[in-house]
Amino acid sequence: MKKTLFNENWIFRKDGTDSEKLITLPHDAMFFEKRDPNALSKDAGAFFNIGTYTYEKKAKVDAKHAVLEFDGVYKDAKVYLNDELKKEYHYGYAPFVVELGSLKKDDVIKVACGIKDGPDSRWYPGAGIYRDVNLYTSDEDEYIGVWDVKVSTLDYKTGLIKVKTGNPKAEFEITFKGEIVAKGQGDDVDLIIDNAKLWCAEEPNLYEIKVTVGNDTVSDHFGIRQIECNRNGLFVNGKNTLLKGGCIHHDNGLLGSATYYKSEYRRVKTLKDAGFNAIRSAHNPTSKHLLNACDELGIYVMDEAWDMWFHKKNKADYGGKLWRENHEEDLRNMVNRDFNHPSVIMYSLGNEVSEPAKKEGVEAIKQMRELFHSIDKNRLVTGGFNLMIIFNSSKGKGIYDEEGGMNSDTNQLNGMNSTMFNMIASFIGPSMNKSANSKKADVIVSPGLDELDICGYNYGSGRYPLDAKLHPDRVTFGSETFPYTIDENWEYAKSIPQNVGDFMWTAWDYIGENGIGTWAYDKSGAGFSKPYPWWLSDAGAFDIIGTPNAEAFWASAAWDALERPMITIQPINHDRKPYKAIWRGSNGIASYSWKNCDGKKAVVEVFFHCDHVELYQNSKKIASKKPKGSRTIFKIKYAPGTLEAVAFDAAGNEIARNALNSAKDAKLSLSPEEKEIRVNDIVYIGVNIADDNGVVECNDDRKVAVSVENGELLAFGSANPRTEEDVHSGEYSTYYGKALAIVKATKAGEIKVTAKAGSQQCQTAVKAV
C-alpha cells in the first residue's frame, strides 16, 4: 500500500465551543488548556484543565482500499468516516489501525477523543492526536497490510533470518546502505544474509526491506540481532551485555506530549552521548519516532504496556473494565508495530501492579507472556514489579486493589492510592530496596516472577544477591531505581551474573507528578504533593530542556563513561538549606558562575572513578579527598574565577583534570543546535545568559521575549519547575541562566530568530531547505 503522512490540514475544535482552528499534527490539545489550581488533572497532571476534542479532515484521495494508522491518540478515540463509526479505541498510548474500506476525495474523516473526567493519570498525559497519523491506500485487489511485513533473526552467527510478508505473491529485496544483499518471494521465507552486519548498541547496523505486490510497495528497516538470557547474564548476539538504563515518560517537555522525530532523536542522542545504552518507556508503549531513533543510534528499549491492570490507580484511568476488555488488542498492536525495531529487546507487562499477589494476577502474567510469544518469539517478556507492593497486597495492605486502592466496580478509593503510596515511599526512601527481602515475601512474589522471561525490580535491589542463591536461574535487573544508588547498583550488575543492569528514575525530567524530585528552597516545596503553580517533576538526570545535572554525571562516572572529572555545584543563590525530595540525590549543576554570591558556602561534587581528587580554586589547592563510589564531595566558600578538579590514581599519578569558569560580562545569547534543517522540521535554539565563551551565568535570570520570521515558534520556556509562565506566549524567564526556543520551518528560506531582554537584543538565523 502507498503510505502518506496524514498530518496536515486538520480542523480542530474543543467540544462545547464554536471556534475552529486549522492545525498540523502532532497536536497536544491539553497543553493549550489553561492551568488551574482546581483542575481535575490535579498535581499529577500539572494542573492543566481537561477536555474533549474533535478533529476533522477531508481524505483528498480516491482509493479502493484505505487504512489509517494512528501512533497514539489520547484517549477514548472514536474514528468516523462520513459519520459512520469505523473504530473505537480506548487506550491513549498504544498504536492502532482503522480499516476504512474504499475512499473518495470528499470523504470526511473525524476523530473524537479527549479526557472526560479526572484524575486520569499519575503524570501529565496530554490529549488529542499527539502522534503521527499515516494513510495507507491501494487500488490493487491484493496488497500488503500495515504491519504485515515482519523480519526476525533465526541465527545471528550465519545471518539466517525469517521474512514474513502476509502475502504469498509478494516479492521483496533487502538492501544494506543502498546495496542489494538478498531477494525473495512469498509469505514465509527463510534466507541467509552473507557476511551479515549485526545490530547492537555499539554498532547499530540497519537493513532495509522493500516488499512489492502488484503496483504496491511497502518498506521498513530491521536489524539482525538475537537476544538471549540465562543464569550467566543477558546476551546480545552472544555478547554479555549490561543495561545502562534510564526511565523516560512520553512527553517532550516544552512541546507537551506532541511527538516530533527531531525531539525524540535529540533526547535519545543526548542520553547515548552520556553513556546510557538503554531506555525504559515508562509506563506505556513509546512512539514510533523514539524507536526509530533508538534503532539508528543504538539504544536498547524496554517497551512497556501499561501502568495498571484489573484495578485503577486513579478514578478515571484505563484500569478495570476497559483493561480487561481491551488489553489483548493493546498487546497485539504494540508487538505488531514494534516487531521490526531491533532496539526493542524486552516487552514489559506493566508497572507496579499489585495483582501478582493473587492467583488471578499470576495467571494473567502467564497468559500475556504466551500472547507475546505467539506473535514474537525473539524478545523477552518482563515487568517493572515493585515487590513491596505485591507483598503488602498479599497481607491485605493493598495498594491499587480492592483491599486498599481503587475499587474497579464502584470507582471509590477504599484506602491507599498512588499519591499516598508515593508519599510513604518518599519517607521510606532507599530502605524500600530491602522491604521484600524476607522468605515470606519470596514465597509471595515468586509465582508471578517465575512466569517472566526476565524479572524487573522496582526499588528491590536487596533481592539481587538473595535471588542469585535462592533462584540461580532467575535473571534480574533494576527496572526502576533511585539515581543516587547507581554506584551500588552497578556493582551488583558487575558482580552478580544474573543481574544485568539498571534503569534509574529518571533519565529525563517530565511534566506532572509535580516536584517529585525537587530540592526546594521555600515551604511550598516542602511536601510530597506540590501545589500550583508547580508543573514539572524536577526529577531527571537531564532537565526538561536537556541540560545534564549531577545525576547524569554520577551515572556516567559509575559506568566509566567519562574522560575527565565532571564538576557540579549545588545552587548557592539561596539563604536556606533545601527541602530534599527522595527521588533526587543532588541538585548540582555544572556551573561556577554565581553572580553576587561571593563568600557563600558551596557544596561541590566531583564525579569520576579515581583514588583521590584535588580541588583548586583560582590556581590554589584548597582540598584533597577520596571519593565515595564515583563521587567526591567538597565544601568551600565561593569565589568567582576558576574551579579545577584533578583526579589521581593510587600511585599519585594524574589521570585527568577539568575546570569550570565564572562568566565575564554575560549577556543575552542565542545558540541554535543546527544551522540548516528541512522544511517542516524543527530546530532547538538555546536562549541563554552567557559570555562570549559560552559560559552561562546562573544568578542573573531575565525575562526574555522571542520572535520568529519565516517560521513558527512552537514553544519557548525554561526548566523552572514552578512557574505560571506560558510556553506559547513567546515570553519566558531564564532559569539558572538558560531557556530554550523550539522553532518549526514552515517554508524554505532563512528563519530569523530574535530575542529581547530589557535593552539587550540578539538575533540568529537557521536555513530551511
Side-chain angles (χ1 to χ4, degrees), residues 136-212:
Y136 292 80
T137 56
S138 176
D139 290 322
E140 301 286 331
D141 291 328
E142 293 189 58
Y143 53 88
I144 305 295
V146 174
W147 296 329
D148 281 356
V149 177
K150 293 181 171 67
V151 184
S152 53
T153 302
L154 300 180
D155 184 358
Y156 74 91
K157 295 178 182 177
T158 62
L160 179 63
I161 64 172
K162 179 181 287 292
V163 177
K164 290 188 176 182
T165 65
N167 193 313
K169 298 180 180 179
E171 297 179 351
F172 62 86
E173 67 176 29
I174 296 172
T175 59
F176 182 74
K177 296 184 177 179
E179 180 180 346
I180 297 175
V181 297
K183 291 185 178 182
Q185 181 177 345
D187 174 31
D188 192 338
V189 182
D190 293 355
L191 57 86
I192 290 177
I193 305 295
D194 292 328
N195 301 312
K197 303 296 184 183
L198 303 181
W199 188 98
C200 63
E202 294 76 25
E203 296 183 61
N205 295 305
L206 291 174
Y207 287 81
E208 183 177 17
I209 182 169
K210 292 183 180 180
V211 183
T212 301

Side-chain angles (χ1 to χ4, degrees), residues 26 46 48 65 81 111 154 202 276 316 327 394 616 629 646 763:
F48 280 90
H65 305 283
L81 179 63
V111 180
L154 300 180
E202 294 76 25
F276 288 81
H327 73 277
S394 74
Y616 292 80
V646 185
Q763 193 172 77

Side-chain angles (χ1 to χ4, degrees), residues 306-375:
W306 315 276
D307 185 46
M308 71 296 288
W309 287 0
F310 312 157
H311 311 300
K312 293 175 176 289
K313 294 184 179 180
N314 279 294
K315 175 183 176 183
D317 71 22
Y318 185 68
K321 186 173 183 290
L322 281 175
W323 184 89
R324 288 183 184 272
E325 293 177 347
N326 300 289
H327 73 277
E328 288 191 10
E329 183 180 5
D330 297 340
L331 289 187
R332 291 183 186 277
N333 289 351
M334 176 180 172
V335 178
N336 282 325
R337 184 203 63 178
D338 297 352
F339 193 97
N340 291 333
H341 290 283
S343 57
V344 179
I345 63 170
M346 291 187 282
Y347 297 119
S348 168
L349 297 174
N351 172 66
E352 293 194 341
V353 292
S354 61
E355 286 88 340
K358 300 179 181 179
K359 184 177 180 180
E360 184 185 14
V362 174
E363 186 62 26
I365 296 174
K366 180 180 179 181
Q367 291 173 352
M368 286 189 283
R369 188 201 72 228
E370 290 176 350
L371 176 57
F372 269 126
H373 286 323
S374 71
I375 309 170

Side-chain angles (χ1 to χ4, degrees), residues 433-434 437 457-465 481 488-489 492:
N433 291 326
K434 299 179 180 179
N437 283 8
Y457 290 175
N458 285 16
Y459 311 106
S461 60
R463 286 220 64 92
Y464 299 158
T481 63
E488 178 184 4
N489 292 338
Y492 280 133

